[in-house]
Amino acid sequence: MSKQTYRVCFCCHRRFRLPVSEAPEDIKNLFELYSENGVMTAPQLNKFLLEVQKEHNATEEGAQATIDGLKHLNIFHRKGINLEGFFKYLFSDNNPPLSPSLGVHHEMTAPLSHYFIYTGHNSYLTGNQLSSDCSDRPIIDALKKGVRVIELDIWPNATKDNVNVLHGRTLTTPVELIKCLKSIREHAFTASEYPVVITLEDHLTPDLQNKVATMVTQTFGDVLFSPGSECLSEFPSPESLKRRIIISTKPPKEYLEAKEVKEKEKNDAQAGKNLGDEEAWGKEVPSLKGGTLADHKNGGDDEDNNDEEDLDDGDKSQHNAAPEYKRLIAIHAGKPKGGLEECLKVDPGRVRRLSLSEQQLEKAAITHGKEIVRFTQRNILRVYPKGTRIDSSNYNPLIGWMHGAQMVAFNMQGYGRSLWLMQGMFKGNGGCGYVKKPDFLLNTGPNNEVFDPRASLPVKTTLKVTVYMGEGWYYDFRHTHFDAFSPPDFYARVGIAGVPADTVMKKTKTLEDNWIPIWNEQFEFPLTVPELALLRIEVHEYDMSEKDDFGGQTCLPVSELSTGIRAVPLHDNKGEKYNTVKLLMRFEFLTL
């Protein structure tokens, strides 16, 4: 089909010529440089892979295999490939921006506290935080995507003789705990062999805690890592905990009867409508626009302490706790009494987990940034969404990561830009759900100094990104999806999510009426902390009268980018990869 027709009115039509995907000028020049008489042989392709793509393990045998794989395209030459074959190879799934051959390549024998861990919040919710259904389905979906921390809120059922999972004091419909546990057992290691942590928010009486202990031990058996009731002196490594389940919660205290607050829920739900007015692809993450942590306040000033109740080791109520339940807890959690200084104290003889809301972390980061980094070198910090995010939206994960927080907990059903960053970070290290923290977050200097997240740092490297072109929308979307009267007007947004100094977004020109946009634009991104930088890529379709349409996105860890010319697959707003849509881009790191 060479032309496409759009109806303008009852009697009028417009016809547009469909463009043919053609190699950009840079690709033509490279082909000419690495070929002879219009043919690129295996030795020449291998030289291109070594010199341009920086694939240091490339071989002539591999290059020949690539050429042989193009025979079916009717562009095969007996001695090699022509320009069209070279272009098709570069724009194929065999030339991704992250090398699948890397697999799990980070050191995995350090303590758990040395890793960022893919962490869910209220993992059982199917939608908003107030009235959606609770189910094991979101838990299964999260585990299949590599999430390694599952949160369950456990409450007595209506008759007080069994245990449900639900978001307490809300209208969410419950699901039985045993159903969630069985689903975790079945799907825990589908995507990754590395350990799954179950964080429990416990609202049970001692007799029901005993019942939970029986459920957990019978469901998981030898898979359960249960070191006893005492706190660990150091966390084990992900490698030593492969295919193990870990329980983390605060030591048990007496159950307090939940009060009916349905009128409050109704008011909160109404207020939530104002907070949930996101664009189809999610609002821009406020604190990614630059400035300091204190510059951005998204919502009310709620402390949101109810997620992790205060803990005093001398709490008399613990004497009533079920001993079998206490022995299940491998990672002890809780907030010691005495304020932030007490919370962040490092005990050389024991390790623990501390939880802070996103707002508590932002406030703490302003006054105690280095203390947070020091705490997270041995202990685990979990950050969770503030209570006003009843629409299940998320926040900027970089604030937690740049302070060493291991468990930055996200609503995995809260689609949008924040979740895209989370998905991008955990594409790293083979997608196993554990990413080793950069050394600067783990090291201590000769005078006991640690990394200062608020310090101004010099530029370490500059990432140069060339956006050549995109294709695939014509096949993955209806021809009137973007515009009822003409082909789409695409533009791309490219930028960095990272520490505030590195965070920026840039934009290409808009190309009108073209299913195969050819931008040929270059952007440079100076990076002070490339170890935490994520490359953000989005495509949108410009709409003069309404909001722009979403055309795809992806987010990639800069530290694992394959240099050279790469085919970058785009994903929908939920993070699912499109069948065909991709961009042709080039990545280069410039020496200073």
Side-chain angles (χ1 to χ4, degrees):
M1 184 186 297
S2 60
K3 291 188 178 181
Q4 192 173 57
T5 301
Y6 290 81
R7 183 188 297 273
V8 178
C9 60
F10 290 111
C11 58
C12 298
H13 295 79
R14 298 175 70 192
R15 302 188 74 190
F16 294 88
R17 184 178 299 278
L18 287 177
V20 177
S21 186
E22 183 179 336
E25 201 62 35
D26 276 7
I27 308 301
K28 294 177 181 178
N29 292 338
L30 283 168
F31 180 79
E32 186 173 336
L33 183 63
Y34 287 91
S35 67
E36 189 175 353
N37 298 322
V39 177
M40 180 182 285
T41 62
Q44 291 166 330
L45 175 58
N46 186 57
K47 187 179 180 184
F48 166 81
L49 296 175
L50 290 168
E51 295 180 355
V52 177
Q53 304 294 79
K54 309 298 183 186
E55 296 181 13
H56 303 300
N57 295 323
T59 63
E60 284 192 24
E61 291 79 6
Q64 186 62 57
T66 296
I67 292 173
D68 292 342
L70 296 169
K71 285 182 178 180
H72 66 285
L73 296 176
N74 296 323
I75 50 176
F76 177 72
H77 189 282
R78 64 185 181 86
K79 293 184 178 179
I81 51 174
N82 60 15
L83 172 61
E84 187 179 355
F86 179 61
F87 174 51
K88 284 190 179 295
Y89 161 68
L90 290 178
F91 219 161
S92 73
D93 292 335
N94 295 322
N95 184 37
L98 302 178
S99 174
S101 64
L102 283 177
V104 177
H105 58 283
H106 293 181
E107 177 204 2
M108 301 301 286
T109 57
L112 287 177
S113 55
H114 288 206
Y115 299 84
F116 298 130
I117 309 173
Y118 204 176
T119 301
H121 174 256
N122 290 351
S123 304
Y124 49 86
L125 287 179
T126 58
N128 69 63
Q129 303 285 309
L130 285 179
S131 59
S132 65
D133 292 336
C134 302
S135 169
D136 63 332
R137 174 46 57 185
I139 297 170
I140 295 170
D141 291 343
L143 291 169
K144 286 182 176 179
K145 292 175 181 175
V147 174
R148 298 290 86 191
V149 182
I150 299 295
E151 184 188 28
L152 303 177
D153 293 7
I154 49 178
W155 294 78
N157 66 355
T159 55
K160 306 294 191 292
D161 62 352
N162 211 333
V163 182
N164 282 338
V165 173
L166 76 155
H167 198 200
R169 306 184 182 99
T170 70
L171 301 176
T172 55
T173 58
V175 59
E176 288 187 345
L177 172 62
I178 189 63
K179 186 174 184 181
C180 296
L181 296 178
K182 287 180 177 179
S183 292
I184 292 172
R185 180 193 63 191
E186 183 177 352
H187 299 280
F189 307 110
T190 301
S192 169
E193 288 191 317
Y194 289 95
V196 168
V197 180
I198 303 175
T199 59
L200 298 176
E201 187 179 319
D202 173 8
H203 304 273
L204 302 178
T205 55
D207 60 320
L208 287 178
Q209 289 170 349
N210 267 326
K211 192 158 192 168
V212 169
T214 301
M215 286 185 202
V216 169
T217 53
Q218 289 182 353
T219 302
F220 297 123
D222 293 341
V223 173
L224 185 69
F225 173 70
S226 183
S229 58
E230 298 303 316
C231 277
L232 295 166
S233 59
E234 184 177 67
F235 291 118
S237 71
E239 187 67 29
S240 70
L241 293 170
K242 268 187 173 180
R243 302 191 73 84
R244 302 296 294 271
I245 302 288
I246 305 167
I247 303 296
S248 177
T249 186
K250 56 186 179 291
K253 54 172 54 178
E254 290 180 293
Y255 169 70
L256 300 176
E257 189 75 29
K259 295 181 180 180
E260 294 291 328
V261 286
K262 291 189 177 179
E263 187 59 38
K264 180 179 182 298
E265 291 155 14
K266 181 178 178 182
N267 295 335
D268 283 349
Q270 187 62 39
K273 291 180 182 178
N274 300 325
L275 292 171
D277 184 25
E278 291 199 343
E279 310 250 2
W281 51 86
K283 287 181 179 178
E284 185 61 87
V285 183
S287 45
L288 294 182
K289 293 179 179 176
T292 66
L293 296 175
D295 292 337
H296 304 288
K297 298 295 181 185
N298 187 5
D301 188 25
D302 69 315
E303 287 298 327
D304 198 17
N305 284 315
N306 60 348
D307 190 86
E308 187 78 48
E309 294 182 35
D310 288 346
L311 166 67
D312 183 341
D313 287 340
D315 191 343
K316 294 178 181 178
S317 65
Q318 290 183 33
H319 296 305
N320 299 324
E324 293 303 317
Y325 181 77
K326 286 186 71 173
R327 276 193 282 271
L328 295 180
I329 304 171
I331 300 176
H332 286 224
K335 286 192 178 83
K337 296 186 184 300
L340 189 59
E341 286 77 11
E342 286 297 318
C343 285
L344 295 175
K345 275 187 176 177
V346 177
D347 187 336
R350 59 189 291 193
V351 289
R352 57 190 169 90
R353 172 170 70 84
L354 172 69
S355 285
L356 297 175
S357 73
E358 55 172 295
Q359 285 186 310
Q360 289 170 336
L361 175 65
E362 284 199 19
K363 291 177 181 179
I366 295 169
T367 56
H368 293 76
K370 289 188 285 187
E371 287 82 358
I372 299 172
V373 172
R374 191 183 306 279
F375 177 84
T376 58
Q377 289 181 340
R378 269 183 51 79
N379 300 282
I380 289 175
L381 176 61
R382 175 176 169 269
V383 185
Y384 57 91
K386 60 186 178 180
T388 52
R389 293 191 181 275
I390 57 179
D391 58 347
S392 293
S393 60
N394 290 300
Y395 51 100
N396 174 15
L398 269 304
I399 298 174
W401 291 333
M402 65 190 282
H403 288 83
Q406 296 87 349
M407 296 182 179
V408 178
F410 262 37
N411 296 305
M412 295 300 164
Q413 78 280 28
Y415 306 121
R417 287 188 167 106
S418 294
L419 187 57
W420 302 344
L421 301 184
M422 181 67 64
Q423 292 166 343
M425 167 64 84
F426 290 101
K427 287 174 184 168
N429 199 27
C432 74
Y434 286 81
V435 170
K436 186 79 156 47
K437 293 199 288 188
D439 288 342
F440 64 79
L441 286 172
L442 301 170
N443 294 340
T444 302
N447 298 314
N448 204 33
E449 67 269 21
V450 296
F451 174 70
D452 183 358
R454 294 173 63 81
S456 296
L457 300 171
V459 172
K460 283 187 179 179
T461 188
T462 295
L463 173 63
K464 180 180 177 182
V465 177
T466 304
V467 186
Y468 289 120
M469 61 184 297
E471 69 172 18
W473 294 279
Y474 180 79
Y475 301 103
D476 287 354
F477 294 86
R478 300 187 317 275
H479 83 283
T480 56
H481 175 87
F482 297 104
D483 194 320
F485 308 113
S486 65
D489 307 328
F490 286 128
Y491 65 90
R493 298 177 76 231
V494 183
I496 297 293
V499 300
D502 296 347
T503 298
V504 66
M505 284 299 283
K506 299 181 180 181
K507 179 181 170 183
T508 68
K509 59 183 175 288
T510 300
L511 297 179
E512 295 184 358
D513 301 334
N514 203 325
W515 282 103
I516 303 178
I518 301 175
W519 294 289
N520 275 326
E521 295 192 42
Q522 294 180 353
F523 304 97
E524 291 189 3
F525 302 103
L527 301 174
T528 62
V529 187
E531 298 92 338
L532 292 180
L534 298 167
L535 178 65
R536 301 176 57 198
I537 302 165
E538 300 177 9
V539 174
H540 301 281
E541 198 269 341
Y542 175 74
D543 193 314
M544 185 180 298
S545 58
E546 300 176 4
K547 70 173 182 287
D548 294 352
D549 292 313
F550 174 75
Q553 61 82 24
T554 195
C555 192
L556 304 167
V558 167
S559 62
E560 298 204 9
L561 276 179
S562 297
T563 53
I565 300 164
R566 303 292 169 180
V568 180
L570 296 190
H571 301 69
D572 65 16
N573 70 327
K574 296 182 179 181
E576 301 295 332
K577 190 163 76 77
Y578 290 124
N579 292 329
T580 313
V581 178
K582 57 173 75 79
L583 302 182
L584 188 66
M585 306 179 71
R586 185 170 185 173
F587 308 119
E588 302 168 87
F589 288 96
L590 307 181
T591 55
L592 300 178

